Amino acid sequence: MAQSLQIAMYTAEAQRALYELSKVLLYTPQGAPSDETAAERIENLRSVIRYHEWRYYALNDPVISDFEYDQLYKQLEALERQHPELITPDSPTQRVSSDLIEEINQVAHLTPMLSLDNSYDARDLLDFDTSVKKLAALPPDSVVEYAVEPKFDGGTIALVYENDRLTRAATRGNGLVGDEITANIRTVRSVPLQAPFSQYGIAKAELRGEAIIRKDVFEKINAARQAAGESLFANPRNAATGGLRMKDPKEAASRGLEAFVYQLAYAADAQGQSVLEHIPTHTDALNMLEQLGFKAPSTQPGPTDLPERRLCRGIEEVIAFCEAWQEQRDAYPYEIDGMVVKVNALDLQERCGSTAHHPRWAVAFKFKARQATTRLRDVEFQVGKTGAVTPVAKLEPVQLAGVTIQNVSLHNEDFIRSKDIRIGDYVLVERAGDVIPYIVKALDHLRDGSERPIEYPRNCPVCHSPLVKPEDEAIWRCENANCEAQILQRMIFHASKHAMDIEGLGESTITRFYQLGWLRSITDIYRLDYDKIAQLEGFGEKSAANLRKAIEKAKQNPIHRLLHSLSIHHLGQKSSKLLAAQVEHVLELANWDLERYQQIKDIGPVLAQNIYNFFHNPHNLEMLRTMETLGVNLRQTPEDRRPASAAEGPLVGKTILFTGTLSTLTREQAEARAAAAGATIASGVSKNLNILVVGEKAGSKLRKAQELGTVEIWTEAEFLERI
Ligand code: IVH
């Protein structure tokens, strides 16, 4: 058998011949060469189509275009239509049956389908290795070879081939008996309808594998279902297992199922004698299945830069490979929930044996769970810095992908209503990759009647003023700018990293100072009493001095940080920079009219209105003036003059102003072009101005610039040429 493993269905030679035959079939009409019969051409077409399906579906590496493949397929269909008597069940055209499946039959597996024992960390894998050596009576210091491959998260399948033909496919069922799903599996193109097992002396074989749906295909299926108003699948596994059991094979075919094979569970010759003992290792078995045209985990690096399967010498290599895969799992096109570690030598597998539940020669290394269920104890409504009221679920603490989860946002009222989440419910929580955790659904079948609906408040939970919900928003807001919760959140944001970046003044310190009555508003941050702070438990002289240093430093921040720190709704880091580039002093903004904000590129009407409102509120102006007297910088710094969007361009570092009527550009277009070229748009003529672009009827600004003598004066044409 070791010898015969060299047999390959598609040797390089065979592949060349099939490729050339494809071209002949594509580009010579039927009947040529002259003595070719319809039966011969049909057989040739089937051979080349099978070959191209293998390249495409099993190897993911086609050698002809989709168009050429379609032409070959259509030729075959046309010929079979003309000669229906020549149609055979294993023709590539016969994958999708038009007969509906009346009733799903139960079938017994040739050998039981066991489960896998689980392991979760390096320690568990070391224990597994120790146990393998004990069971196989190997010395403790021996090095065992393990085959390691992904644990595919789809629907388990068992495929039976008899006399080189696929005769039966089944689900796992209870491990002994499964559901017969042959008609649906036949639609999966990575499952060959025929495979030359006889070349290996095998008359009957049973393979195990997994039917799965690629993540991107799954997204498309769900998008289409959403568009059609149909219910969505929770994950690719549900879409796959559902697809296997469709009554209409056409529907199964439309799921985009693929199948990996990962075990040769049974192989017997024509006399019914097992030939498995002639196949020395699991790796040999998978190589053989690959040669036979199946899609097995590949030994070549793929999208994750890791091979799907690797033969590891010793458990340390296994641990490293599993951990590398755990890191890379998001880059893999299929969902996997771990790796499977298998003793490679089949005779050692035999020596290890199995329990009724799982083999002792294999173990699943489970990745950290991304989903968990827990109980929703309560819902708290938190008021954010701009007054948005967010419901937050208080959960019984649960471990998820290595992190304890206790608080999860429920986003808004629509989210709660659409998922019908209630207090006291068991909920399914998910944390995928770096994504923040969220509640997938409530487990409504576990309800005992004590659950309470979540009452959405109509008044601010802190200041009790009525909440308001703008028509086009999903969020209720507290509109009282003096609401204590908002003030506290605004202080926290003001000091945070992206805003004034005051080290040592995080959420807990601010809350503490707030509770002590030391912080009532943002301005209080700049009049803290450091002597008192030094007396505080957990502080001391050193911490107080450090805090003072951090606050003194923050006072010198460029004004774009200050603008961002003011919690003006929608005013982010980038728009703060755009705004900072426009003014020499923050309080100039109090003199701007609404349109002026709108003229700034990337500042839309809503944000313009928010900024306008802020700078036309006397309390806010008072706050800024107080801050200035306390030493906070309100003047434009060189950093503020650096444009936010264009870090490079012919006008980087230059301040520019337009005056008079331009002939080819509107004022707005000209300013946008200048900003894109890196310039800062000035608000008036001053000694900071570098360039004045003059149009027709330029008046006082031109005169002033000429008087200063330091300003370059350009015509519109010159400006256009420079940019
Ligand atoms: S080997 C008896 N290899 O995991 C051992 N199983 O919890 C035979 N699975 O239902 C299974 N990927 O369907 C094996 N590469 C892989 C697998 C794999 C997924 C599934 C299998 C089984 C479950 C065990």
Side-chain angles (χ1 to χ4, degrees):
M1 198 70 196
Q3 191 65 32
S4 59
L5 279 173
Q6 301 306 315
I7 299 173
M9 186 163 69
Y10 295 122
T11 58
E13 213 176 317
Q15 292 201 45
R16 251 192 319 277
L18 284 161
Y19 177 80
E20 271 155 27
L21 181 57
S22 314
K23 295 288 168 172
V24 171
L25 290 165
L26 274 169
Y27 302 112
T28 58
Q30 198 209 324
S34 55
D35 55 352
E36 182 195 43
T37 64
E40 280 164 351
R41 191 164 178 105
I42 283 178
E43 254 333 297
N44 283 338
L45 282 165
R46 287 177 186 162
S47 302
V48 299
I49 289 170
R50 282 183 194 119
Y51 166 63
H52 293 304
E53 288 187 343
W54 172 70
R55 293 280 335 179
Y56 189 96
Y57 294 104
L59 300 192
N60 214 354
D61 186 17
V63 291
I64 59 169
S65 67
D66 291 1
F67 176 77
E68 288 170 310
Y69 170 83
D70 287 343
Q71 296 305 309
L72 291 167
Y73 194 88
K74 282 186 186 147
Q75 262 194 49
L76 177 59
E77 274 184 327
L79 270 176
E80 287 181 343
R81 229 175 293 129
Q82 286 168 27
H83 303 279
E85 73 286 359
L86 297 177
I87 296 178
T88 56
D90 58 357
S91 170
T93 59
Q94 302 303 303
R95 282 190 174 272
V96 185
S97 162
S98 50
D99 297 338
L100 292 190
I101 301 162
E102 304 265 298
E103 194 183 343
I104 294 186
N105 297 319
Q106 303 262 296
V107 290
H109 300 302
L110 300 190
T111 62
M113 292 180 82
L114 300 183
S115 283
L116 286 169
D117 200 12
N118 290 330
S119 68
Y120 297 93
D121 53 24
R123 164 103 269 133
D124 293 345
L125 287 176
L126 289 168
D127 290 348
F128 167 70
D129 184 50
T130 309
S131 133
V132 164
K133 286 174 194 163
K134 247 190 229 145
L135 292 163
L138 295 170
D141 58 353
S142 54
V143 175
V144 179
E145 271 190 358
Y146 294 103
V148 186
E149 60 207 34
K151 186 170 184 305
F152 300 104
D153 199 7
T156 311
I157 51 173
L159 308 172
V160 177
Y161 285 79
E162 285 166 282
N163 303 321
D164 297 343
R165 299 264 178 304
L166 172 70
T167 51
R168 193 181 91 182
T171 64
R172 179 175 185 278
N174 65 8
L176 298 173
V177 177
D179 290 340
E180 201 250 328
I181 50 163
T182 318
N184 287 338
I185 282 296
R186 284 175 60 91
T187 70
V188 180
R189 308 259 182 146
S190 41
V191 174
L193 298 180
Q194 50 162 267
F197 282 98
S198 53
Q199 292 183 359
Y200 294 91
I202 298 171
K204 185 170 185 178
E206 189 175 64
L207 321 184
R208 306 280 162 80
E210 202 88 353
I212 50 177
I213 296 177
R214 258 202 353 243
K215 290 190 258 190
D216 59 336
V217 173
F218 166 76
E219 298 293 343
K220 284 194 196 122
I221 292 174
N222 256 358
R225 290 178 73 92
Q226 182 154 35
E230 291 166 332
S231 64
L232 302 190
F233 293 115
N235 50 45
R237 173 166 29 86
N238 289 6
T241 52
L244 293 177
R245 309 169 66 86
M246 299 307 302
K247 296 252 167 187
D248 182 354
K250 274 205 271 330
E251 281 191 44
S254 72
R255 288 278 163 97
L257 286 164
E258 297 178 40
F260 276 96
V261 294
Y262 48 65
Q263 198 192 9
L264 178 61
Y266 175 93
D269 62 16
Q271 285 70 48
Q273 287 293 310
S274 173
V275 300
L276 279 180
E277 52 270 31
H278 301 304
I279 302 172
T281 68
H282 175 70
T283 305
D284 290 326
L286 289 195
N287 289 347
M288 179 182 91
L289 293 174
E290 237 168 26
Q291 303 277 11
L292 286 169
F294 291 90
K295 185 181 177 79
S298 167
T299 51
Q300 301 302 312
T304 59
D305 281 339
L306 295 164
E308 282 167 329
R309 68 179 154 113
R310 175 178 280 172
L311 184 59
C312 296
R313 284 187 45 78
I315 202 70
E316 298 296 343
E317 269 186 48
V318 171
I319 293 168
F321 189 56
C322 287
E323 286 176 350
W325 258 98
Q326 169 143 285
E327 288 295 306
Q328 290 291 316
R329 83 191 271 205
D330 289 326
Y332 191 55
Y334 307 94
E335 278 293 351
I336 57 177
D337 56 347
M339 302 298 285
V340 183
V341 183
K342 300 170 180 175
V343 170
N344 194 37
L346 299 195
D347 61 341
L348 284 189
Q349 286 190 2
E350 186 94 352
R351 283 184 7 218
C352 291
S354 298
T355 70
H357 169 260
H358 62 264
R360 290 192 169 107
W361 46 262
V363 72
F365 174 83
K366 296 278 277 190
F367 292 154
K368 298 213 160 43
R370 293 164 142 180
Q371 288 198 335
T373 59
T374 186
R375 194 160 206 166
L376 193 160
R377 285 179 176 156
D378 203 358
V379 173
E380 224 175 71
F381 290 86
Q382 293 181 354
V383 186
K385 63 186 178 9
T386 59
V389 174
T390 309
V392 178
K394 301 276 151 184
L395 304 176
E396 266 166 30
V398 63
Q399 280 283 117
L400 215 53
V403 178
T404 307
I405 308 291
Q406 208 162 350
N407 300 320
V408 174
S409 171
L410 293 168
H411 307 293
N412 55 51
E413 194 173 17
D414 294 346
F415 182 88
I416 294 173
R417 299 280 167 261
S418 70
K419 299 201 179 245
D420 185 21
I421 297 169
R422 304 181 194 175
I423 293 170
D425 264 341
Y426 284 93
V427 289
L428 181 65
V429 196
E430 177 165 318
R431 178 172 173 267
D434 292 332
V435 183
I436 47 172
Y438 73 99
I439 293 188
V440 181
K441 61 176 178 185
L443 306 176
D444 51 8
H445 56 284
L446 296 182
R447 282 181 185 152
D448 64 7
S450 68
E451 299 74 17
R452 289 180 289 123
I454 297 167
E455 299 281 354
Y456 221 87
R458 290 294 170 252
N459 289 81
C460 172
V462 179
C463 74
H464 309 292
S465 51
L467 298 182
V468 178
K469 183 164 127 164
E471 218 168 273
D472 49 351
E473 283 192 29
I475 293 215
W476 289 89
R477 274 176 202 290
C478 163
E479 292 207 314
N480 171 17
N482 295 319
C483 167
E484 293 216 346
Q486 286 189 48
I487 292 172
L488 180 62
Q489 292 304 321
R490 283 202 293 269
M491 287 195 287
I492 292 168
F493 179 73
H494 178 84
S496 71
K497 189 144 191 62
H498 292 300
M500 294 298 265
D501 191 19
I502 305 176
E503 214 182 308
L505 197 61
E507 179 169 349
S508 59
T509 307
I510 292 182
T511 311
R512 190 164 168 203
F513 290 179
Y514 177 79
Q515 282 160 354
L516 288 165
W518 298 354
L519 289 180
R520 284 282 155 226
S521 71
I522 287 178
T523 47
D524 289 344
I525 292 176
Y526 301 97
R527 31 176 176 231
L528 280 170
D529 183 336
Y530 298 102
D531 293 333
K532 275 195 343 208
I533 292 173
Q535 308 295 315
L536 216 55
E537 201 187 313
F539 268 83
E541 296 289 342
K542 184 127 200 291
S543 308
N546 284 343
L547 184 60
R548 165 183 244 146
K549 224 161 64 200
I551 290 175
E552 288 304 317
K553 183 168 158 237
K555 286 181 181 173
Q556 305 308 318
N557 274 337
I559 56 171
H560 68 80
R561 281 191 173 270
L562 176 66
L563 288 167
H564 187 211
S565 78
L566 299 174
S567 295
I568 298 172
H569 196 25
H570 296 313
L571 183 69
Q573 243 170 332
K574 188 169 168 220
S575 37
S576 300
K577 284 185 179 166
L578 292 172
L579 200 55
Q582 304 284 332
V583 289
E584 282 171 42
H585 191 280
V586 171
L587 288 173
E588 277 170 35
L589 293 171
N591 305 322
W592 282 29
D593 56 24
L594 189 55
E595 272 166 32
R596 185 117 180 239
Y597 293 108
Q598 288 175 347
Q599 278 164 9
I600 303 174
K601 190 171 151 267
D602 290 342
I603 291 192
V606 176
L607 175 55
Q609 185 71 57
N610 294 345
I611 309 172
Y612 177 87
N613 292 351
F614 184 94
F615 282 98
H616 283 79
N617 177 328
H619 293 295
N620 294 333
L621 300 181
E622 184 55 39
M623 170 181 82
L624 286 165
R625 279 189 209 106
T626 309
M627 281 164 88
E628 190 168 38
T629 58
L630 292 168
V632 177
N633 171 52
L634 265 63
R635 286 196 177 276
Q636 197 186 49
T637 67
E639 192 188 317
D640 292 311
R641 281 193 283 276
R642 227 172 287 140
S645 46
E648 50 199 45
L651 301 182
V652 167
K654 302 278 186 202
T655 2
I656 198 167
L657 183 67
F658 295 84
T659 185
T661 315
L662 304 175
S663 59
T664 61
L665 299 173
T666 64
R667 177 70 60 86
E668 212 172 311
Q669 288 167 335
E671 291 182 349
R673 296 265 194 106
T680 304
I681 317 299
S683 52
V685 179
S686 73
K687 59 184 188 326
N688 290 330
L689 184 67
N690 302 117
I691 303 155
L692 182 71
V693 180
V694 288
E696 262 177 63
K697 296 195 197 124
S700 62
K701 286 192 177 130
L702 175 58
R703 268 197 307 281
K704 199 168 166 200
Q706 284 168 329
E707 276 163 27
L708 276 168
T710 52
V711 183
E712 279 185 60
I713 298 176
W714 293 0
T715 62
E716 187 183 355
E718 277 175 307
F719 166 69
L720 287 170
E721 204 182 298
R722 299 291 184 99
I723 60 164

